[in-house]
Amino acid sequence: MKILQFTILVLIFTKSPVSSKRHLKHPSLSSTSANPTNSDVHTLYKARRKSSSPRPNIILILTDDQDKDLGSLQFMPKLARHLGEEGATYQHGYVSTPMCCPSRSSLLTGLYVHNHHVYTNNDNCSSPYWVENHEKRTFATYLQQSGYHTAYYGKYLNKYTGHHVPPGWDQWHGLVRNSRFYNFTINSNGVLKQHGDDYARDYLPDIITNKTLQLISRSTISSSPFMAVLSYPGPHGPEDAAPQYQDMFHNVTTHHTPAYDFAPNPDKQWILRHTEKMLPIHRSFTDLLMTKRLQTLQSVDSAVEKIVQRLADTGQLDNTYIFYTSDHGYHLGQFGLVKGKAFPFEFDTHVPFLVRGPGIPPRSVRDQPVLNIDLAPTFLDIAGLEKPPHMDGKSILPTFRKPDKKLRDAFLIERGKMTFERYSVVSQEERGVLEDENVSFFSKNHLSLTERLSVECNKPRYQSPCSLNQKWVCKKKGDGSLKIIRCKNKQGLKSSRMKYSNCHCSIGEKFGWKNDRSDKRGMKKNRTKLNLFSLTRRARSILTSQGDTSMFDDIAHEEMKEVDYLVEDIDEEIRGLHILNNITKPTGCVLSRKDKVCQQKMTDEDPSTWITSRSTIKHQIQQLRAQLNELKQIRKYLRLKRPVKEKEQGTRRHMKSGGSSSPFREPGAEVCVCDEVQNNEVVKQHLKEERNGRRREKKMERLLRKERKRMKADKKNQRKSKKQDHCKVDVKMNCFSHDNNHWQTAPLWTEGPFCACTNSNNNTYWCVRNINTTHNYLYCEYVTGMITYFDLNVDPFQLRNLLYTVPDSQLNFMHQQVTHLRTFSGEKRFLERKQRKLRLKKNKLRQKSLRKQGMRSTKLRRG
């Protein structure tokens, strides 16, 4: 199980979707469209009717943020009476992305988010890319082409500026920006109109309802059917209910589901692992917010009854399909999240879905999973139009008359724009390794010299000014380009050894000399570099080329330096063991320059002890030699992998057998007694202390960088706190604040300010939701590498992640489902089928020609 899960994680991170920038460069399907100079043709294909029979009217009633699992439908009796009892209720209505703008974009185009690229409420929402590539291919353009009179009332997309009228709409009354009830601007057929806070004139839900009633009345004198979208702002914030409903639904607690305040959740994604139980003020807020949400829905409930009554009065009710749904669900306290959406759980993705119209039996229930991307192809199917080949959704029209018609088993739920590549870069940035300007470098196969320098110069090891024991530093040239040069006035390893050498002796000498440290000037003037140990690194090569490529001669210097330290440590151990091989403590022998003097006769009395000790030391020497050889090979490999070969400043000096390792005696030196073992240990100890000091310094530098980053973040938070000092925002979370001045209509909040965090930037996921007669599960893969599995047959509120109970075969199957769905494209599927048909046709023609040739040859032989 663990191996399979690890394999899936590797596959997830290696099959990262392309970044949004690449999506924007992707050529749109509009290349196959008609000439753009024709204002009536903006679409991929020409809308063609499948039959000439009379076509029904279509009305879509769309709410904003309406839940299904928290019980909002229980408080809409008129909706239940006119649509539920007179039509079909789809028990499994879902959205493919539980966020406003992505979900609405999918509803309009019939595309998954990964195909229209509107990933969040900000990213690409009503952007120039959307306007140019996808706004021209909504269901409205096709219906308008085929002769429908189209109308849109209310909220459109979160970032809609009102500076244009989207194509495909004969009547356009689109709300500018996000949902509002008062004090808003509407683009009314190309004219921006301001509204104030007077209920009789400016309340947006009533404006939408009244304009729809006018449309229905006018349609009686027209031979064309109509299609209208009624996009209500409720129950979205600021939750301003009509005055007549402001005293209703106090103390409602239907939102207190088993998942309510179920926190923390260590088995779920990052944001839920860091979300604690709500405070009492948070719980009070969820209760009041539920009340206000239900109050705003009463205007929608009343509108349903008015619209049905107007259709009946004008004789159009039996020829009109009325759809009711929401752009996504909502949560209030579930898993400790005070409010919001954007999660893959039922409370955010499960939405109301009701339909009434011709051929739909009253009080019927459908169990097929239906999605927001199914609405566009369904509308076209109702209008008698062929489904455009690029749409991902399916028409649910066949299920109206065939309740058991199979539609699908599994579908995709996706959210967020962060790719695995981007997440890995951001994660490294948090550790202080990379900067934002280097993100694009890591998507390239090869980097230029300038890009390599830019990446390397951001690393702490090359920062200016040079610190103690830093050997390389990044500098800017006069023209602004970067270069890597050596730090000046740095002593190497040999000078360190000379510094700590107490006594310099030739082999066999009892007396040597040591420097007189009082005469430092004389020492610096006459000092000769020593080679005290046979394995000590010789004079290192330096950069001689002045070209740009020489800057990378020693990019791996730090790594080689660490290897050299290990080589020296092992060499010291071997030398020490060689000495111990002759001076074994258990035997009581002491090594002198001439002979060995034993103070005890343990060698005679207990020869096995001496043999054991000697064998142990020999074995240790062999092990250390093996390690030394491996490290030498590593050092050799690192040197060979340098971009440019080093040029040595001088030749290596090798010690000859029987030669003297002591240099010319310097002036200002004094005689000392030679003790090679003690001198060796002193040098070794000093070198170790120096290396440990360098390591401590590097560690301190890392801690200082981390502390500076933390202080910078604290300052940023303090600036935010000045604006809302009651809300301390976490930089990794999306938080909101609320105070007594937030709501302007009753019931008002009076319990004071508070802050709550509702989402995180890394809450990007791809999930497969499977619903059929045997299975009912939610399997998700997060950009962070987290995997979750919930079996809704046994855990309908998704309280526990049951991933570790899933067999490997099922886990592999679900991963394949996600991999397939997250790249699914109706356009690609259409082209693949078309190519397959062409290949079959060519094969048939080839076989037919071969048969004809065979028949001719047979006739010729017979003739």
Side-chain angles (χ1 to χ4, degrees):
M1 169 69 75
K2 291 182 179 180
I3 295 176
L4 180 59
Q5 291 173 7
F6 176 76
T7 305
I8 290 176
L9 286 175
V10 172
L11 291 173
I12 292 173
F13 279 90
T14 55
K15 293 184 179 181
S16 170
V18 294
S19 66
S20 59
K21 291 183 179 179
R22 184 176 175 186
H23 281 314
L24 296 179
K25 295 178 181 179
H26 190 281
S28 69
L29 295 176
S30 60
S31 59
T32 58
S33 303
N35 190 339
T37 58
N38 185 353
S39 60
D40 294 330
V41 182
H42 298 284
T43 54
L44 174 69
Y45 84 120
K46 185 68 176 179
R48 296 182 179 86
R49 292 183 60 179
K50 294 184 288 187
S51 66
S52 59
S53 58
R55 297 185 293 175
N57 303 315
I58 305 170
I59 295 177
L60 170 63
I61 301 175
L62 181 67
T63 54
D64 195 358
D65 287 13
Q66 184 176 359
D67 63 272
K68 185 176 188 295
D69 288 21
L70 305 188
S72 65
L73 293 180
Q74 300 176 26
F75 303 92
M76 301 183 72
K78 298 173 183 177
L79 172 67
R81 181 167 62 252
H82 294 290
L83 265 66
E85 295 181 5
E86 299 296 332
T89 300
Y90 284 81
Q91 300 281 29
H92 302 299
Y94 288 87
V95 294
S96 58
T97 300
M99 294 189 72
C100 293
C101 198
S103 178
R104 289 169 178 266
S105 301
S106 293
L107 185 151
L108 290 165
T109 60
L111 298 175
Y112 277 122
V113 164
H114 62 263
N115 288 327
H116 63 61
H117 319 315
V118 181
Y119 295 102
T120 68
N121 289 337
N122 298 310
D123 186 59
N124 210 28
C125 178
S126 195
S127 67
Y129 171 79
W130 159 264
V131 172
E132 182 64 28
N133 293 277
H134 296 291
E135 198 168 53
K136 299 175 181 179
R137 298 189 300 159
T138 65
F139 61 79
T141 57
Y142 304 133
L143 291 175
Q144 187 186 57
Q145 275 186 1
S146 69
Y148 266 79
H149 182 82
T150 56
Y152 196 102
Y153 307 115
K155 177 179 175 179
Y156 182 50
L157 300 175
N158 296 50
K159 294 298 180 178
Y160 174 63
T161 60
H163 293 155
H164 74 287
V165 175
W169 301 102
D170 296 301
Q171 287 193 41
W172 178 257
H173 301 274
L175 177 68
V176 176
R177 300 292 182 179
N178 208 353
S179 287
R180 299 292 295 271
F181 294 82
Y182 297 105
N183 301 305
F184 54 85
T185 302
I186 279 184
N187 181 318
S188 182
N189 294 321
V191 179
L192 294 178
K193 294 184 178 180
Q194 306 286 337
H195 287 265
D197 56 2
D198 182 75
Y199 171 73
R201 296 192 306 266
D202 303 316
Y203 192 61
L204 182 57
D206 290 351
I207 292 176
I208 294 172
T209 302
N210 293 332
K211 287 189 176 295
T212 304
L213 296 177
Q214 294 172 10
L215 172 69
I216 295 172
S217 298
R218 288 196 302 266
S219 65
T220 57
I221 59 175
S222 173
S223 59
S224 299
F226 69 87
M227 192 283 158
V229 176
L230 286 60
S231 183
Y232 287 93
H236 192 285
E239 299 95 8
D240 293 324
Q244 63 268 29
Y245 305 123
Q246 292 176 0
D247 294 327
M248 300 175 66
F249 310 123
H250 287 276
N251 302 318
V252 171
T253 59
T254 56
H255 59 291
H256 289 195
T257 65
Y260 183 79
D261 208 16
F262 188 83
N265 290 268
D267 59 341
K268 296 182 178 67
Q269 62 265 45
W270 184 89
I271 176 65
L272 295 182
R273 292 200 300 270
H274 291 79
T275 300
E276 300 293 335
K277 284 187 174 296
M278 294 186 293
L279 300 175
I281 192 173
H282 294 150
R283 297 173 70 96
S284 298
F285 174 77
T286 61
D287 294 343
L288 182 57
L289 182 56
M290 183 66 179
T291 296
K292 291 183 72 68
R293 284 168 55 84
L294 294 178
Q295 290 173 356
T296 62
L297 285 173
Q298 298 314 296
S299 296
V300 182
D301 194 44
S302 175
V304 171
E305 185 174 60
K306 292 178 181 178
I307 291 168
V308 171
Q309 187 63 44
R310 181 63 58 90
L311 287 169
D313 293 342
T314 57
Q316 301 180 79
L317 182 59
D318 294 337
N319 191 40
T320 302
Y321 284 100
I322 304 176
F323 291 78
Y324 184 95
T325 188
S326 177
D327 56 357
H328 52 76
Y330 206 72
H331 57 257
L332 283 173
Q334 279 63 42
F335 298 137
L337 300 168
V338 176
K339 71 169 186 175
K341 54 258 188 180
F343 287 78
F345 305 109
E346 290 290 283
F347 44 72
D348 283 354
T349 59
H350 197 193
V351 294
F353 203 104
L354 297 90
V355 188
R356 72 167 290 174
I360 300 178
R363 299 184 180 181
S364 57
V365 177
R366 301 290 185 272
D367 293 324
Q368 296 92 337
V370 293
L371 306 176
N372 54 342
I373 60 174
D374 296 333
L375 288 172
T378 301
F379 296 158
L380 299 181
D381 199 6
I382 291 174
L385 303 179
E386 294 180 357
K387 172 189 168 183
H390 66 278
M391 286 189 176
D392 301 329
K394 299 180 179 181
S395 171
I396 66 172
L397 182 61
T399 66
F400 291 172
R401 295 178 174 84
K402 298 179 181 179
D404 297 328
K405 175 73 175 179
K406 184 176 180 180
L407 198 63
R408 59 165 64 85
D409 284 337
F411 56 89
L412 177 70
I413 298 175
E414 57 183 334
R415 185 265 174 187
K417 63 177 180 178
M418 184 177 288
T419 62
F420 291 116
E421 179 185 32
R422 174 61 182 162
Y423 176 74
S424 64
V425 171
V426 171
S427 300
Q428 293 181 42
E429 286 174 356
E430 291 177 359
R431 295 192 293 268
V433 178
L434 301 175
E435 301 295 336
D436 288 337
E437 54 266 28
N438 294 326
V439 171
S440 60
F441 294 163
F442 294 89
S443 60
K444 299 182 180 180
N445 294 328
H446 302 285
L447 300 179
S448 66
L449 175 63
T450 304
E451 291 171 339
R452 290 168 60 201
L453 277 169
S454 179
V455 172
E456 292 297 326
C457 286
N458 277 321
K459 295 182 179 179
R461 68 179 68 173
Y462 301 118
Q463 297 301 308
S464 178
C466 293
S467 59
L468 181 64
N469 302 311
Q470 182 178 343
K471 203 151 189 195
W472 301 95
V473 66
C474 233
K475 294 288 186 182
K476 273 193 176 182
K477 295 182 181 179
D479 58 358
S481 60
L482 297 171
K483 65 178 180 179
I484 298 178
I485 61 174
R486 285 183 179 272
C487 292
K488 297 180 180 179
N489 301 325
K490 295 295 172 185
Q491 294 182 345
L493 182 61
K494 287 188 176 182
S495 61
S496 298
R497 288 188 178 277
M498 287 187 62
K499 176 181 178 182
Y500 297 123
S501 294
N502 286 340
C503 196
H504 309 293
C505 301
S506 298
I507 297 177
E509 291 181 347
K510 292 185 178 180
F511 300 99
W513 59 271
K514 63 180 178 179
N515 294 330
D516 183 3
R517 301 185 186 280
S518 62
D519 189 7
K520 293 183 180 179
R521 292 184 180 179
M523 288 176 58
K524 290 183 179 179
K525 183 177 180 180
N526 300 301
R527 178 175 297 169
T528 302
K529 292 186 178 181
L530 301 179
N531 192 353
L532 300 179
F533 303 99
S534 59
L535 290 176
T536 301
R537 291 194 308 163
R538 305 304 193 261
R540 293 185 58 85
S541 301
I542 62 173
L543 298 174
T544 57
S545 173
Q546 298 299 319
D548 288 336
T549 55
S550 66
M551 298 176 187
F552 285 95
D553 285 356
D554 271 321
I555 288 300
H557 169 68
E558 296 294 335
E559 289 78 2
M560 292 180 62
K561 198 170 183 180
E562 290 298 326
V563 174
D564 288 340
Y565 289 159
L566 294 173
V567 170
E568 291 158 10
D569 288 343
I570 294 176
D571 178 49
E572 297 296 339
E573 295 292 338
I574 292 175
R575 292 179 63 83
L577 288 172
H578 270 303
I579 295 172
L580 290 175
N581 196 23
N582 296 320
I583 313 174
T584 54
K585 292 182 180 179
T587 62
C589 297
V590 179
L591 181 67
S592 67
R593 292 293 178 187
K594 294 183 178 180
D595 56 6
K596 185 192 300 180
V597 179
C598 292
Q599 297 175 351
Q600 298 178 3
K601 295 183 179 181
M602 293 180 65
T603 54
D604 297 330
E605 296 175 359
D606 192 4
S608 61
T609 303
W610 183 87
I611 294 171
T612 302
S613 300
R614 186 179 180 87
S615 299
T616 301
I617 293 173
K618 282 185 176 181
H619 180 64
Q620 293 176 357
I621 291 174
Q622 291 174 356
Q623 287 181 328
L624 290 170
R625 277 178 175 167
Q627 295 178 21
L628 182 63
N629 289 332
E630 291 180 2
L631 290 168
K632 284 181 178 180
Q633 292 297 323
I634 295 172
R635 181 172 62 183
K636 182 179 178 181
Y637 172 79
L638 291 172
R639 285 174 176 166
L640 290 174
K641 290 298 180 182
R642 291 178 182 173
V644 179
K645 282 190 175 182
E646 294 180 335
K647 296 182 180 180
E648 295 188 355
Q649 190 178 22
T651 58
R652 295 175 176 252
R653 300 176 181 177
H654 299 276
M655 292 179 61
K656 297 182 180 179
S657 176
S660 175
S661 63
S662 298
F664 168 78
R665 178 175 173 178
E666 299 184 6
E670 57 180 313
V671 178
C672 61
V673 179
C674 291
D675 188 343
E676 185 176 354
V677 177
Q678 182 179 358
N679 184 53
N680 211 21
E681 290 299 325
V682 170
V683 173
K684 178 181 174 182
Q685 184 63 29
H686 280 296
L687 289 175
K688 282 188 175 180
E689 290 177 358
E690 184 179 335
R691 286 194 292 272
N692 290 334
R694 287 195 293 266
R695 288 165 181 162
R696 284 194 299 269
E697 184 181 355
K698 289 182 180 180
K699 185 176 180 180
M700 183 60 64
E701 287 178 356
R702 289 195 298 269
L703 292 174
L704 287 174
R705 286 197 302 272
K706 188 175 181 180
E707 181 64 16
R708 285 194 295 268
K709 187 174 181 180
R710 186 192 65 78
M711 292 175 65
K712 184 178 179 181
D714 288 345
K715 288 181 180 179
K716 183 177 180 181
N717 291 338
Q718 288 174 5
R719 288 195 299 269
K720 290 183 178 180
S721 299
K722 289 180 182 179
K723 299 180 181 179
Q724 42 186 17
D725 51 2
H726 61 279
C727 186
K728 200 170 185 178
V729 181
D730 190 313
V731 294
K732 296 180 181 179
M733 295 186 183
N734 301 330
C735 306
F736 77 96
S737 63
H738 195 93
D739 55 32
N740 293 350
N741 299 322
H742 184 81
W743 283 321
Q744 301 300 318
T745 59
L748 299 175
W749 174 255
T750 59
E751 296 187 28
F754 69 89
C755 176
C757 297
T758 58
N759 207 344
S760 63
N761 295 329
N762 60 8
N763 190 29
T764 296
Y765 52 78
W766 299 266
C767 304
V768 58
R769 184 72 172 90
N770 194 300
I771 303 174
N772 53 40
T773 56
T774 58
H775 292 85
N776 186 13
Y777 63 77
L778 173 69
Y779 170 84
C780 295
E781 295 175 353
Y782 290 81
V783 72
T784 59
M786 183 74 181
I787 301 177
T788 59
Y789 170 82
F790 301 95
D791 186 350
L792 277 76
N793 285 332
V794 298
D795 182 17
F797 298 99
Q798 299 123 18
L799 301 180
R800 297 300 181 191
N801 179 9
L802 303 178
L803 178 69
Y804 294 99
T805 66
V806 180
D808 291 348
S809 57
Q810 186 178 350
L811 188 62
N812 187 50
F813 171 75
M814 292 186 294
H815 171 66
Q816 291 176 357
Q817 279 187 305
V818 171
T819 303
H820 167 70
L821 288 172
R822 61 185 287 191
T823 57
F824 175 81
S825 170
E827 174 200 358
K828 291 181 180 178
R829 182 181 60 180
F830 170 77
L831 294 176
E832 289 172 356
R833 290 178 177 177
K834 187 174 181 180
Q835 291 175 357
R836 186 163 57 249
K837 289 180 180 179
L838 289 175
R839 286 196 300 268
L840 292 174
K841 187 176 181 179
K842 288 180 180 179
N843 290 336
K844 288 182 179 180
L845 291 174
R846 190 181 299 109
Q847 292 174 4
K848 187 176 180 179
S849 62
L850 290 174
R851 283 196 300 269
K852 287 182 178 180
Q853 291 177 4
M855 292 174 65
R856 282 198 217 98
S857 59
T858 303
K859 288 180 180 180
L860 290 174
R861 284 197 301 270
R862 290 179 180 176

